[in-house]
Amino acid sequence: MRMFSQLLIRVIHGYQKYISPGLPASCRYYPTCSAYMIEAIQKQGLILGVIMGLARILRCNPFNRGGFDPVPDTFTLLRNQHPEQYEDEIIAQKFHPQKRRETNE
């Protein structure tokens, strides 16, 4: 199973390097759906990771506002309910500018 996981991750890296740059930016989330899929596979294993990644791709549409949605530590098909647990300073500045102002005051 680990071999298939590594193979799929390499395929996704190939997509990120060779295909994605030629397409218009369309992912509504950070991290991107392809990066989310890789991290989900690494955290949850091949089957659950792919299911989480596909659910994320289905959420990435014009009817969803997107935003910061890191891979949660537990399996779920829903958007991460507690992204603040995964934030670092760069993410906080990009997606929560009011939070940055509060910490600087």
Side-chain angles (χ1 to χ4, degrees):
M1 203 63 112
R2 178 121 172 99
M3 185 175 76
F4 290 119
S5 296
Q6 292 303 317
L7 178 63
L8 183 56
I9 288 171
R10 285 185 181 175
V11 169
I12 295 169
H13 280 300
Y15 163 80
Q16 290 174 326
K17 186 174 182 177
Y18 298 109
I19 297 172
S20 182
L23 301 173
S26 61
C27 189
R28 298 177 171 279
Y29 288 106
Y30 180 87
T32 63
C33 293
S34 58
Y36 184 98
M37 176 84 78
I38 290 170
E39 190 174 345
I41 292 169
Q42 291 170 338
K43 281 187 173 184
Q44 300 296 327
L46 180 64
I47 295 171
L48 294 179
V50 168
I51 292 170
M52 286 177 70
L54 292 174
R56 169 69 174 297
I57 290 169
L58 291 174
R59 287 195 308 269
C60 189
N61 63 65
F63 302 108
N64 195 329
R65 64 179 168 80
F68 181 56
D69 181 31
V71 179
D73 292 329
T74 58
F75 175 79
T76 181
L77 297 177
L78 305 175
R79 184 181 174 132
N80 191 331
Q81 297 300 311
H82 300 286
E84 69 279 357
Q85 296 174 353
Y86 300 86
E87 285 187 314
D88 61 17
E89 188 60 31
I90 295 168
I91 302 304
Q93 289 176 10
K94 183 173 182 178
F95 291 101
H96 303 293
Q98 69 280 0
K99 186 175 182 178
R100 182 185 72 220
R101 277 187 247 121
E102 291 169 3
T103 58
N104 289 338
E105 293 176 358

